[in-house]
Amino acid sequence: MPELIKGLETVKAIRAANALRMQALQAKGITPCLAVVRVGERADDIAYETGAAKNCKNAGVRFTAVVLPQTADTQTLVQTVRTLSEDASISGIMVLRPLPKTVDEQRVMEAIDPDKDVDGATRANQAGVYAGVKDSFAPCTAEAVVRLLKYNGIAIAGREAVVIGRSPVVGRPLAMLMLKENATVTVCHTKTADLEAVCRRADLLLVAAGQRAMVDDRFIRPGAGVVDVGIHVDEDGKLCGDVAKTVQQPAWVTPVPGGVGGVTSALLIEHVLRAAERKL
Ligand code: NAD
């Protein structure tokens, strides 16, 4: 059986560092605030918003949700986000995606002040991540994978990392962050020829395909490490990932739940605190 590399210890370390940053901010009279913008009533958006509100409360960060109807147009959203960007009491802004298809999502993202863009959605932060600029905000999920690896002492430099997925939220920025850590990176997607063979080259297989249990032992070289970014709900209502629970080949795998997800949440708070520090 592969070893399970859980996220909990990484989460504890990030939370402890967050608590110190929070104390320093409060000593200067600052209470950071995260604003989440939600359009419509999608169950997963509401679940995300509830989780973010709880995380903020536990960290002592203020939280506000701006909820717009499903019919909201691009201009309304741009104006809403601009108002939050200009509001000195708001430290970080996150717009829940995907937005309705009728909305120009990138225009809305570009209305976020890059200094408040805590989930790395603006072109400015994307460019920063691609250029390896230290202070840029990377999307929390992509950064969570690297932090999980580093906290657990897993070597990255010089190793073959294969990322399944090229979305702007996870796969692409993750590939860039792994490159920054000196991995040799391959990015796979739906048009990759012989995906299994490419994945079997990996020392570190990072799976963000959004396909439940698609990765099984055929994709994994014996002794490789596997990070499962996927989040799905199975027929019994239980959370599961993109990697089959039955895999035997890897030396280790991150579980779902209990792996990347918690680290992502802790990092969102870290980013809000970093954003608040920038305003000092
Ligand atoms: P997405 O659907 O936007 O992108 C999926 C990517 O995987 C695409 O680039 C696609 O080309 C590739 N892909 C899909 N099927 C494939 C296949 N059969 N073979 C090869 N490539 C394939 O999804 P996303 O937003 O990047 O999220 C990926 C997963 O991560 C989802 O399961 C999502 O729920 C999860 N997620 C987790 C967290 C977290 O905190 N753990 C946060 C965000 C997303």
Side-chain angles (χ1 to χ4, degrees), residues 141 164-167 170 189-190 195 208-211 229-232 264:
T141 308
I164 311 183
R166 59 173 164 184
S167 79
V170 191
H189 45 78
T190 45
L195 182 66
Q211 305 287 332
V229 183
I231 303 182
H232 310 275
T264 304

Side-chain angles (χ1 to χ4, degrees), residues 223-238:
V226 180
V227 177
D228 190 352
V229 183
I231 303 182
H232 310 275
V233 180
D234 70 12
E235 296 84 2
D236 303 327
K238 292 202 176 111

